[in-house]
Amino acid sequence: MATRAELCNAIRMLAVDAVQKANSGHPGAPMGMAEIAEVLWNHQLRHNPANPKWADRDRFVFSNGHGSMLLYALLHLTGYDLPIDELKKFRQLHSKTPGHPEYGYAPGIETTTGPLGQGITNAVGMALSEKLLAHEFNKPGHEIVNHYTYVFLGDGCMMEGISHEACALAGTWGLGKLIAFYDDNGISIDGHVEAWFTDDTGKRFEAYNWHVIRNVDGHNSEAVEKALQEAKTVTDKPTLIICKTVIGKGSPNKEGTHDVHGAALGDAEVKATREHLGWTHAPFEIPKDIYEGWDCRTKGQGLEKLWSNKFAEYKAAFPKEAAEFERRMKSELPANWKEHITKAVAAINEKGETVATRKASQIAINALAPALPEFLGGSADLTGSNLTNWTGCHHIKGTSVGNYISYGVREFGMSAIMNGMALHGGLLPFGGTFLMFSEYARNALRMAALMKIRVIWVFTHDSIGLGEDGPTHQPVEQTSTLRMMPNMDVWRPCDTTETLVGWAASVERLNGPSCHILSRQNLPFQKRSQEQIDAIRKGGYVLADIANPKMVLIATGSEIGLAMEAKKVLDGQGIPTRVVSMPCTNVFDRQEQSYKASVLPKGVARVAIEAGVGDFWRKYVGLEGGVVGIDTFGESAPAPELFKHFGFTVENVVNTAKAVL
């Protein structure tokens, strides 16, 4: 039978050999955290390698994702479908073992990590999801949701501001099933962190209302195990276990230095490490007894079987709730979804309200919420402006439960927490802020797009229409740059009907996130045929037409009304004009070429109108077409004055159209 030391050294040498073969990577963290990993994964983690998507598994997040070989070694050794050949292809094209853990590449990876601080923040979202779902679905004697969220994180995660946003909320929410292991090795890429990171981390986390266990010897398995058991006794707050470790433990000449942080050890040091650890096996060779010591498949299947039996009893006693739990964990839409959304769109279209699209979004949320109990809304301290709440929603306040979150001024934290919720399953998160402050959240939006997960952002006050708050709060380039993010759908609707259709499309989209770009000011309702309403889902469509058009005006959101007014003038001056509404360019671009050509006919002059940077629209109008946009920063003044000042007038649109004919 293999010893614990041998089990840990298997992690170390797999990391050393993989990084050496790739001549790229980070061996230090896997080598330094081997004992912590063995304690958790081999003895405490409830998981089933044969079913990585088991609903009630413990979640494990490796926040310091640069040390990815630690996770790959664990997945391989414990029995996940990650063969040794994949470890040999570490950091190579089309392998399941890329440089950082990527969600969807290898089974058992709960989230993409690498941008430091986002992993721990995802974990906060996962832990909150567990708490909310447990409250909603568990019944006396029937606990079908009862699992922990574990996190590994390092100095880099602790330094990133997003971790403070999220960890403060975790303490406020009393997430007692969130346990984080801090790899306190004192080393980052530039060297010893004492020159730039002098926080008393324990005190800081105690101030966040965390339980803190200090000075745990991270190389002493018994000490780690004792700390973990203590953490589990604390149920009213999350726990931070501060583990003192030596980076690159086992490398006789490089351990404890930044030289082992982000580079291969080199042939000589690899040989010396083997000798130092007494590891006599060839690269990527793991003895049978070590595999047996790590194998969690039988235990994992047993754990899931126990849960399945519990769930069967739950299903017999509460069939409705069981069916709802299964639906939501599979991210399936309700059976009556199509009927519900069809009626909702018809009702909103018939009402034909002229309101701001931020209000239209709230109307849409109210229309959808009765059919979607998985909705979990929120705002970064702007609920009254974003209008992300709805009739009957319940605020989460402190340790209470509900379905609406006031995140405070934490746009980045909110967004990465929502990513964690989406990854956990069972909830559909959306959150709001001003469009300008999508900049603070941007990397979390990118991570959602990268992971292909369903998260919805509500970005209001979408242009110079914000008015008096001035250029610091007036987004100019944000809508365009969000559109350029791969796999992100960006909706900028012009009225209540387009807003609801965009919301429905976002809910139905299971392979990526969506943004809704919404106005502060009221926008006129546009009348449509049923055919036009159906065409909204194609991202762009003909809103107003005329026989043999000589001009196409393309617009979105608040500029649709302007385009419609300009059309009247141009038609009257003998220039027959078509108006195309393009609420989601991303969706429009995915349509068949024949449809796109029917909307934007070849050889017809085009002018795009949008209160944002103009360059984006050149893909539709070409160099020969016209753009009415804003390519400077804004100014502070009432919105009507600003629109006039920056050329968003009928006169300027007409003149721009004439200039390109």
Side-chain angles (χ1 to χ4, degrees):
M1 180 181 291
T3 65
R4 265 188 152 173
E6 290 171 324
L7 299 180
C8 295
N9 287 339
I11 292 176
R12 291 189 170 97
M13 292 314 305
L14 282 173
V16 166
D17 289 337
V19 172
Q20 186 65 22
K21 188 174 188 298
N23 196 29
S24 174
H26 298 76
M31 298 174 77
M33 298 190 79
E35 283 83 8
I36 304 168
E38 194 274 335
V39 168
L40 178 62
W41 275 70
N42 216 12
H43 301 279
Q44 295 293 326
L45 192 72
R46 291 174 67 254
H47 64 121
N48 181 9
N51 183 14
K53 294 297 184 182
W54 168 30
D56 200 41
R57 69 191 182 278
D58 290 339
R59 271 52 171 188
F60 174 76
V61 175
F62 191 48
S63 192
N64 45 335
H66 52 270
S68 57
M69 266 309 303
L70 174 64
L71 182 52
Y72 299 145
L74 288 167
L75 293 171
H76 171 72
L77 291 167
T78 56
Y80 286 77
D81 185 16
L82 190 66
I84 196 70
D85 284 347
E86 290 293 340
L87 273 62
K88 293 178 181 178
K89 294 189 287 185
F90 178 56
R91 287 182 164 238
Q92 305 309 301
L93 186 63
H94 302 315
S95 76
K96 293 182 179 180
T97 52
H100 292 84
E102 301 284 355
Y103 178 72
Y105 280 56
I109 294 175
E110 300 283 5
T111 181
T112 296
T113 56
L116 294 175
Q118 288 203 59
I120 175 64
T121 307
N122 293 164
V124 171
M126 294 175 185
L128 180 62
S129 295
E130 192 275 345
K131 177 179 178 176
L132 298 178
L133 291 169
H135 180 266
E136 182 177 358
F137 287 102
N138 288 352
K139 306 292 182 183
H142 297 274
E143 289 192 341
I144 62 166
V145 182
N146 184 13
H147 56 264
Y148 285 86
T149 301
Y150 297 102
V151 191
F152 284 3
L153 70 161
D155 291 304
C157 290
M158 287 299 191
M159 287 184 247
E160 285 285 0
I162 187 175
S163 66
H164 308 303
E165 295 181 25
C167 291
L169 280 171
T172 298
W173 293 334
L175 300 180
K177 289 184 180 175
L178 174 63
I179 299 175
F181 294 84
Y182 169 29
D183 181 31
D184 184 14
N185 60 34
I187 296 290
S188 65
I189 292 175
D190 279 359
H192 292 270
V193 301
E194 62 196 22
W196 52 85
F197 183 48
T198 59
D199 302 12
D200 188 327
T201 300
K203 284 185 179 178
R204 178 155 52 82
F205 272 72
E206 285 174 342
Y208 293 156
N209 195 39
W210 283 56
H211 177 64
V212 177
I213 305 173
R214 292 175 170 82
N215 297 315
V216 177
D217 182 352
H219 303 300
N220 184 323
S221 299
E222 288 73 25
V224 174
E225 188 114 37
K226 182 182 177 184
L228 182 51
Q229 292 299 337
E230 178 185 330
K232 287 187 171 183
T233 67
V234 180
T235 59
D236 62 342
K237 59 181 69 176
T239 294
L240 178 70
I241 303 173
I242 303 176
C243 296
K244 297 291 185 179
T245 65
V246 177
I247 192 171
K249 178 72 171 177
S251 170
N253 301 303
K254 294 187 176 183
E255 67 175 34
T257 74
H258 69 279
D259 294 332
V260 75
H261 181 280
L265 297 185
D267 290 336
E269 189 64 12
V270 170
K271 183 181 179 191
T273 301
R274 273 187 156 74
E275 293 172 355
H276 184 67
L277 295 176
W279 190 264
T280 59
H281 317 290
F284 301 102
E285 180 182 305
I286 304 294
K288 182 181 178 183
D289 63 334
I290 290 179
Y291 271 128
E292 289 173 349
W294 271 109
D295 193 348
C296 291
R297 289 174 292 183
T298 300
K299 181 171 67 175
Q301 288 172 349
L303 289 168
E304 184 174 355
K305 177 66 175 174
L306 287 172
W307 180 84
S308 296
N309 292 339
K310 284 184 181 179
F311 189 77
E313 293 172 1
Y314 178 87
K315 194 171 186 176
F318 307 97
K320 183 179 178 182
E321 290 86 347
E324 178 68 5
F325 180 78
E326 289 181 310
R327 176 188 75 79
R328 286 165 56 175
M329 293 306 295
K330 292 176 183 176
S331 297
E332 294 177 349
L333 291 169
N336 67 338
W337 171 255
K338 188 174 181 180
E339 178 186 1
H340 183 89
I341 193 62
T342 300
K343 288 181 179 178
V345 171
I348 277 180
N349 189 65
E350 184 173 349
K351 197 168 185 179
E353 291 180 278
T354 289
V355 295
T357 48
R358 61 173 174 156
K359 181 62 179 179
S361 174
Q362 187 178 49
I363 293 168
I365 294 167
N366 267 293
L368 299 179
L372 295 169
E374 56 263 50
F375 260 181
L376 182 63
S379 172
D381 203 47
L382 287 168
T383 296
S385 296
N386 300 148
L387 304 181
T388 38
N389 56 341
W390 67 97
T391 304
C393 69
H394 299 285
H395 276 71
I396 295 172
K397 297 179 180 179
T399 60
S400 70
V401 297
N403 58 3
Y404 190 86
I405 302 171
S406 290
Y407 288 92
V409 187
R410 298 182 177 98
E411 297 87 358
F412 195 5
M414 173 185 73
S415 299
I417 286 171
M418 291 197 301
N419 287 351
M421 294 174 185
L423 289 160
H424 181 279
L427 298 169
L428 202 174
F430 64 89
T433 185
F434 286 178
L435 175 59
M436 188 66 246
F437 305 133
S438 67
E439 293 290 346
Y440 284 140
R442 191 174 189 85
N443 198 258
L445 272 72
R446 185 177 187 272
M447 295 292 280
L450 181 65
M451 291 189 282
K452 302 181 177 67
I453 56 176
R454 182 175 57 168
V455 183
I456 300 172
W457 280 272
V458 176
F459 293 134
T460 69
H461 299 62
D462 67 346
S463 69
I464 55 173
L466 174 73
E468 292 88 341
D469 279 341
T472 61
H473 284 53
Q474 293 167 2
V476 173
E477 75 275 23
Q478 282 68 33
T479 301
S480 288
T481 58
L482 286 170
R483 288 172 176 144
M484 288 188 261
M485 188 179 289
N487 200 43
M488 178 67 77
D489 280 1
V490 179
W491 291 85
R492 188 170 187 252
C494 73
D495 64 6
T496 53
T497 300
E498 282 192 357
T499 302
L500 178 55
V501 172
W503 259 102
S506 301
V507 169
E508 293 167 13
R509 188 178 189 232
L510 301 180
N511 62 348
S514 304
C515 297
H516 294 258
I517 312 298
L518 307 168
S519 73
R520 178 192 185 191
Q521 71 275 25
N522 289 349
L523 305 182
F525 180 80
Q526 305 295 329
K527 293 183 179 179
R528 300 171 183 81
S529 67
Q530 186 59 51
E531 184 181 7
Q532 287 175 310
I533 292 173
D534 294 341
I536 295 171
R537 283 181 171 270
K538 296 183 177 181
Y541 64 101
V542 178
L543 178 63
D545 210 5
I546 195 170
N548 301 313
K550 301 297 183 189
M551 170 59 60
V552 176
L553 299 179
I554 311 167
T556 74
S558 54
E559 285 64 70
I560 285 291
L562 177 59
M564 295 292 281
E565 291 298 316
K567 170 182 165 57
K568 293 177 184 177
V569 175
L570 289 165
D571 287 347
Q573 294 182 0
I575 304 172
T577 297
R578 168 182 289 186
V579 174
V580 169
S581 178
M582 202 172 286
C584 187
T585 63
N586 312 95
V587 173
F588 180 76
D589 288 348
R590 295 198 292 267
Q591 303 304 309
E592 294 183 357
Q593 185 58 39
S594 59
Y595 176 77
K596 291 188 284 188
S598 72
V599 175
L600 301 175
K602 190 176 181 180
V604 180
R606 303 171 187 175
V607 171
I609 314 163
E610 186 173 67
V613 293
D615 280 359
F616 172 85
W617 291 100
R618 290 294 170 190
K619 66 187 286 187
Y620 300 108
V621 305
L623 294 176
E624 68 281 1
V627 178
V628 178
I630 173 171
D631 292 307
T632 67
F633 295 116
E635 295 285 351
S636 177
E641 294 181 28
L642 290 171
F643 279 114
K644 183 178 180 180
H645 173 76
F646 286 105
F648 292 93
T649 63
V650 172
E651 180 184 15
N652 189 37
V653 172
V654 169
N655 289 338
T656 303
K658 289 178 176 179
V660 302
L661 286 171

